[in-house]
Amino acid sequence: MANRCQAELIAVGSEILLGQINNSHAQFISNELAKNGLYVYHHGAVGDNEARIRTAFEIASRRSNVVIVTGGLGPTVDDLTKEALAAFLNRPLVLSEAALEHLMQYFAGRQRQMPEENRKQAYCIEGGELIPNENGTAPGQYIYDKGVHFFLLPGPPLEMRPMLRNFVLPRLTEIFGDRQALISRVLHFCGIGESDVDQQIQDLTAGENPTVAPLAGEGEMLLRITATADSEASARAKIAPVEAELRRRFGPYLYGVDDDTLPSVVGRRLTERQETLSVAESCTGGLLASMLTDIPGSSGYFLGGVVAYDNRVKQGLLDVPADVLERDGAVSEATARLMAEGVRRRLSTTYGIGITGIAGPGGGTKDKPVGLVYVGVANEHQTQVYRLQYRVSRAQVRLRTCKQALWRLLGMMD
Amino acid sequence: MANRCQAELIAVGSEILLGQINNSHAQFISNELAKNGLYVYHHGAVGDNEARIRTAFEIASRRSNVVIVTGGLGPTVDDLTKEALAAFLNRPLVLSEAALEHLMQYFAGRQRQMPEENRKQAYCIEGGELIPNENGTAPGQYIYDKGVHFFLLPGPPLEMRPMLRNFVLPRLTEIFGDRQALISRVLHFCGIGESDVDQQIQDLTAGENPTVAPLAGEGEMLLRITATADSEASARAKIAPVEAELRRRFGPYLYGVDDDTLPSVVGRRLTERQETLSVAESCTGGLLASMLTDIPGSSGYFLGGVVAYDNRVKQGLLDVPADVLERDGAVSEATARLMAEGVRRRLSTTYGIGITGIAGPGGGTKDKPVGLVYVGVANEHQTQVYRLQYRVSRAQVRLRTCKQALWRLLGMMD
């Protein structure tokens, strides 16, 4: 383990602890390191308080050999990262002529005098190395001390990201030279429960390389396969047979891999087939249309839809006859069928989806309880209607219904 | 400090350290706690490894008196949060009849046998208290041990969030709220930029009790006023003059307070006035309808809408004449106007909203760049059209447009 990267990420900034901003650096840096076979074991965030930042360094240096810190390198009195590390390492801060020169040039290039407070940014921890910042005033710093590699990077993502890619990653690769590639593959399933899958993969989850682990998903099921090897190609070669086995066991439920989502896969399939889609939504109230149109380029296959929250809309824009609404009710197999067929006919699309149900919390009856949903999927030849019964929150009923509808649409395309 | 909340958040899950998912819980929980005047000092994330989770608890219990843990409560062998805390506290895990009953009912309600492995979820740390989970199998747990309050919550956001709001926040308020009342008031503004506000409140943000702080908002601006006093009434009395001053300065932009959202405020106003709404969406593609129907009871005032992604839908369902689409284009003042009027007329509602624009990333031209949006709001007497130009991501364009539309609708009701 001595020569293996055990990285820890520390984000500095009280605005993170107040929930005012999301610490998106943690995900970005972790992902970049993982792609390079470098392991991250801890994430942390701490406020603009010198004692607490110093303690975070103390804890990190006991358990990690790489500490990447973001934020707290600005010119204000609240920016304390450098000061805290200097104190922790018991090293002085010294003026760097190179850093001062960079600052001068930065401001000169903007026809501005350097404000006096920015001079603070030219101070570096003694024995450290500057990390050039092409997009801002704060230089980064690299310091090696008693077995720990510290990298200090500024908070703004447009400054931090190129510094990570141009300096930190090459340096870490150099240090942990016999690097192992760490590759992951995520499989997405729908129509099957997590516990059903879990029971059938215990032989696979017991493995150490590759590992197989379920990930949390709402209305779907994700499995992650992760392998390490001395090259990306051989890591992928380790993943392949496990993926093949999972496809053999759960193939009918697999809808995508890695960054795929149900809306993106539906979009890709429709584009390939040069087919189109329209949707008629009652209880999901526009959520399905919104998920579809989240995808850039969706206008190529998604023509639009009708949010038929009120029965008058189901009649007026979708031609659901009043007597069906009267006899079977708005939440019924017949209404879902007629909504799917109605929107498909009105918008002249290859497929039409119709959704009607009771998302709750109110509106349920004994015969038609909260969580009852009908999903209709229509093409030129047929209409399939699925009856779903959920016992989850309003938001979950809506989201799961939309995913089921897309999953059933994929089924009709097979 | 002894009786002041010093909270630490720990997210458990290797997928977070691999950068596969973003630890969005940290921001959400921090923000909820901040709104309640509860302080968070540390965020951390750790993988699915019992020893490392235990060490995280060890470190946290030395410096924090509240530890909120998310994730790792599932039925699989990778789910180790409970086991790690039990080991750290040196307490056994015991079968909870109540938790088992909940699990049995959960599966019975789904006409399924409980898988054997889910039995694991019925085990609780001895001396702990169950936190009910209405939306999933994993109960949460609350354990108090040697001065530290531990809250274990499941990872899926739709399960975790209500548990935080319904159990954790009231409990923390009970624990830390009795000596000193710590009251917050959040004011919501729309139609004014954060930097405009910031510059005009520097006299108020300098105060110590109450404090005034901006909170993160997308397409809106939030200010939190927080006061401490020996009673809730006197804390509120401290807040009142500051709120009055903010209302004096920014009154025209204020749309709500505390948990209000634009869709909830619009819903309340429409209900009070016994008026109705319909929407016609092009570039927002159902997002506005979805935001409106997120609100329970929205069927009382929201009749429905048309997602007119394709021009044929704008013609066929909204009666936008072909020659207008030809002459002015789909993204134009005239089209937005006709969409708002068309949907209002077709659905016979008091108000109609029409939205057309270019959310990007593709589809822009020199005359009509990405981020150009027209929003029309119509009632019986008039139609107002607003031209917006954004320079943000597709998702942000869509969300900000929807908020602007609701904000403009509120303006028409005044």
Side-chain angles (χ1 to χ4, degrees):
Chain A
M1 290 293 273
N3 205 34
R4 177 168 165 181
C5 171
Q6 292 188 274
E8 172 151 3
L9 313 184
I10 300 175
V12 177
S14 297
E15 66 277 21
I16 297 168
L17 299 178
L18 285 165
Q20 288 170 354
I21 64 165
N22 177 32
N23 174 19
S24 59
H25 291 340
Q27 182 179 14
F28 179 83
I29 300 176
S30 286
N31 199 23
E32 289 292 306
L33 264 65
K35 280 194 284 185
N36 287 273
L38 299 160
Y39 292 80
V40 175
Y41 285 91
H42 294 93
H43 289 177
V46 65
D48 300 312
N49 174 295
E50 194 180 321
R52 279 195 288 273
I53 303 172
R54 210 170 53 225
T55 307
F57 291 148
E58 217 174 289
I59 292 168
S61 60
R62 279 203 298 270
R63 64 188 180 191
S64 307
N65 55 15
V66 172
V67 179
I68 302 176
V69 191
T70 47
L73 297 183
T76 78
V77 289
D78 271 352
D79 291 299
L80 294 164
T81 299
K82 218 161 53 181
E83 290 72 12
L85 184 58
F88 169 60
L89 299 178
N90 202 18
R91 298 191 189 200
L93 284 166
V94 291
L95 184 74
S96 154
E97 292 299 334
L100 191 60
E101 178 64 25
H102 166 74
L103 279 161
M104 297 289 203
Q105 279 187 4
Y106 182 91
F107 284 100
R110 282 158 185 76
Q111 276 80 49
R112 286 180 52 200
Q113 188 89 38
M114 184 181 86
E116 191 48 35
E117 65 169 5
N118 284 78
R119 206 178 160 82
K120 177 175 185 282
Q121 298 186 295
Y123 281 82
C124 297
I125 296 174
E126 195 178 65
E129 188 176 337
L130 287 180
I131 304 176
N133 178 356
E134 282 164 27
N135 304 304
T137 55
Q141 299 193 36
Y142 164 65
I143 302 109
Y144 177 72
D145 191 289
K146 297 189 197 70
V148 185
H149 304 270
F150 291 92
F151 296 88
L152 309 187
L153 301 174
L158 293 176
E159 300 178 31
M160 185 280 286
R161 293 180 178 197
M163 294 165 78
L164 183 85
R165 286 185 170 139
N166 299 333
F167 187 99
V168 182
L169 291 175
R171 183 59 61 97
L172 287 176
T173 306
E174 205 182 297
I175 297 167
F176 299 97
D178 58 332
R179 65 170 188 165
Q180 291 258 308
L182 174 67
I183 303 290
S184 276
R185 177 92 164 155
V186 177
L187 305 184
H188 298 249
F189 302 89
C190 199
I192 185 167
E194 179 168 346
S195 47
D196 294 323
V197 172
D198 277 353
Q199 288 188 326
Q200 295 175 57
I201 57 169
Q202 293 188 354
D203 54 326
L204 300 172
T205 49
E208 297 225 325
N209 189 14
T211 59
V212 176
L215 299 185
E218 184 62 48
E220 60 184 287
M221 162 77 205
L222 293 85
L223 288 178
R224 184 190 64 222
I225 315 169
T226 306
T228 53
D230 50 15
S231 72
E232 183 177 329
S234 51
R236 292 202 188 282
K238 286 187 181 174
I239 288 173
V242 176
E243 176 171 344
E245 180 57 28
L246 287 169
R247 284 178 180 268
R248 197 188 63 71
R249 293 186 198 176
F250 309 109
Y253 306 101
L254 183 100
Y255 78 78
V257 296
D258 296 337
D259 293 335
D260 286 342
T261 61
L262 279 159
S264 75
V265 171
V266 162
R268 202 164 58 219
R269 295 284 294 278
L270 288 170
T271 304
E272 283 162 9
R273 297 161 65 105
Q274 296 184 282
E275 293 178 334
T276 56
L277 173 65
S278 59
V279 302
E281 301 179 69
S282 183
C283 65
T284 53
L287 181 60
L288 178 56
S290 178
M291 286 164 66
L292 287 160
T293 59
D294 263 344
I295 311 286
S298 47
S299 55
Y301 50 83
F302 179 66
L303 266 60
V306 172
V307 178
Y309 226 50
D310 192 89
N311 278 351
R312 282 166 284 178
V313 185
K314 295 184 184 80
Q315 289 175 51
L317 295 186
L318 295 169
D319 314 312
V320 180
D323 65 319
V324 170
L325 292 168
E326 183 73 29
R327 193 186 62 226
D328 294 63
V331 178
S332 63
E333 196 268 352
T335 299
R337 174 185 301 276
L338 289 165
M339 286 171 70
E341 293 171 353
V343 77
R344 183 186 164 274
R345 189 175 55 246
R346 283 281 194 127
L347 271 61
S348 307
T349 49
T350 319
Y351 303 98
I353 291 175
I355 296 173
T356 181
I358 304 154
T365 63
K366 202 171 169 221
D367 287 347
K368 296 185 177 177
V370 166
L372 174 66
V373 181
Y374 291 93
V375 171
V377 185
N379 67 11
E380 181 184 8
H381 307 292
Q382 57 166 328
T383 304
Q384 303 266 8
V385 182
Y386 304 90
R387 182 184 187 281
L388 311 169
Q389 177 66 60
Y390 294 110
R391 276 172 195 78
V392 287
S393 70
R394 177 182 178 87
Q396 286 171 304
V397 167
R398 286 161 50 95
L399 184 54
R400 292 189 188 182
T401 297
C402 291
K403 290 195 177 179
Q404 272 290 320
L406 293 173
W407 164 244
R408 296 304 186 176
L409 171 64
L410 286 175
M412 190 172 274
M413 287 189 209
D414 280 336
Chain B
M1 290 294 274
N3 206 36
R4 177 169 165 178
C5 170
Q6 292 189 273
E8 173 151 2
L9 313 184
I10 300 176
V12 176
S14 298
E15 65 276 23
I16 297 168
L17 299 178
L18 286 165
Q20 288 170 352
I21 64 164
N22 177 32
N23 174 20
S24 60
H25 291 341
Q27 183 179 14
F28 179 82
I29 299 176
S30 286
N31 197 23
E32 289 292 305
L33 264 65
K35 280 195 282 183
N36 287 273
L38 298 159
Y39 295 80
V40 175
Y41 286 91
H42 294 93
H43 289 177
V46 65
D48 300 313
N49 174 295
E50 194 180 321
R52 279 195 288 274
I53 303 171
R54 210 169 54 224
T55 307
F57 291 147
E58 218 174 285
I59 292 169
S61 60
R62 281 203 296 269
R63 64 188 180 190
S64 307
N65 55 15
V66 172
V67 179
I68 303 176
V69 192
T70 47
L73 297 183
T76 77
V77 289
D78 271 351
D79 292 300
L80 295 164
T81 299
K82 218 160 54 182
E83 289 72 11
L85 184 58
F88 169 61
L89 299 178
N90 202 19
R91 298 190 189 202
L93 285 166
V94 291
L95 185 74
S96 155
E97 292 299 334
L100 190 60
E101 178 65 26
H102 166 75
L103 280 160
M104 297 290 204
Q105 279 186 5
Y106 183 92
F107 284 100
R110 284 159 184 75
Q111 274 81 47
R112 289 182 50 202
Q113 187 90 39
M114 184 182 87
E116 191 47 36
E117 63 166 6
N118 283 79
R119 209 177 157 81
K120 176 174 184 283
Q121 299 186 293
Y123 280 82
C124 297
I125 296 174
E126 195 177 64
E129 189 176 337
L130 288 179
I131 304 177
N133 178 356
E134 281 165 26
N135 305 306
T137 55
Q141 299 194 35
Y142 164 65
I143 303 108
Y144 178 72
D145 191 287
K146 298 188 197 71
V148 185
H149 304 270
F150 292 93
F151 296 88
L152 309 186
L153 301 174
L158 293 176
E159 299 180 29
M160 185 280 286
R161 294 180 178 197
M163 294 165 79
L164 184 85
R165 286 186 170 139
N166 298 334
F167 187 99
V168 182
L169 291 176
R171 183 60 61 98
L172 287 177
T173 305
E174 205 182 299
I175 297 167
F176 296 101
D178 51 357
R179 303 271 163 97
Q180 278 262 303
L182 216 160
I183 303 292
S184 276
R185 177 91 166 158
V186 178
L187 305 184
H188 299 249
F189 302 90
C190 199
I192 186 166
E194 181 168 345
S195 49
D196 293 324
V197 172
D198 276 353
Q199 288 188 324
Q200 294 175 56
I201 58 168
Q202 294 189 351
D203 54 326
L204 300 172
T205 49
E208 297 223 326
N209 189 17
T211 59
V212 176
L215 298 184
E218 183 64 48
E220 59 184 287
M221 161 78 205
L222 294 83
L223 288 178
R224 186 191 60 223
I225 316 169
T226 307
T228 53
D230 48 16
S231 73
E232 182 177 330
S234 52
R236 292 202 189 281
K238 285 185 182 176
I239 288 173
V242 176
E243 175 171 345
E245 180 57 29
L246 287 169
R247 284 178 180 267
R248 197 188 62 73
R249 294 187 197 176
F250 309 110
Y253 306 100
L254 184 98
Y255 78 78
V257 296
D258 296 336
D259 292 335
D260 285 341
T261 62
L262 279 159
S264 76
V265 171
V266 162
R268 202 163 60 219
R269 294 285 294 278
L270 288 170
T271 305
E272 283 163 8
R273 299 161 64 105
Q274 298 185 282
E275 293 179 333
T276 55
L277 174 65
S278 59
V279 302
E281 302 179 69
S282 184
C283 66
T284 53
L287 180 60
L288 179 56
S290 178
M291 287 165 64
L292 287 160
T293 60
D294 263 343
I295 311 286
S298 47
S299 55
Y301 50 82
F302 180 65
L303 267 60
V306 172
V307 178
Y309 226 50
D310 193 272
N311 278 350
R312 281 165 285 178
V313 185
K314 295 183 184 83
Q315 289 176 51
L317 294 186
L318 296 169
D319 315 311
V320 179
D323 66 319
V324 170
L325 292 169
E326 183 72 28
R327 194 187 60 223
D328 293 63
V331 178
S332 64
E333 196 268 351
T335 300
R337 175 184 301 274
L338 290 164
M339 286 171 70
E341 293 171 355
V343 77
R344 183 186 164 274
R345 188 176 54 246
R346 283 279 193 128
L347 273 60
S348 306
T349 50
T350 319
Y351 303 98
I353 290 176
I355 296 174
T356 181
I358 304 153
T365 64
K366 204 177 165 210
D367 287 347
K368 295 183 178 179
V370 166
L372 174 66
V373 181
Y374 291 93
V375 171
V377 185
N379 67 11
E380 180 185 7
H381 307 293
Q382 57 166 328
T383 305
Q384 302 267 7
V385 183
Y386 304 91
R387 181 183 188 280
L388 311 169
Q389 178 66 59
Y390 294 109
R391 278 174 194 79
V392 287
S393 71
R394 177 182 178 87
Q396 286 170 306
V397 167
R398 285 160 51 96
L399 184 55
R400 292 188 188 183
T401 297
C402 291
K403 291 195 176 179
Q404 272 291 319
L406 294 172
W407 164 244
R408 296 304 186 175
L409 171 64
L410 286 175
M412 191 172 272
M413 288 189 209
D414 280 337

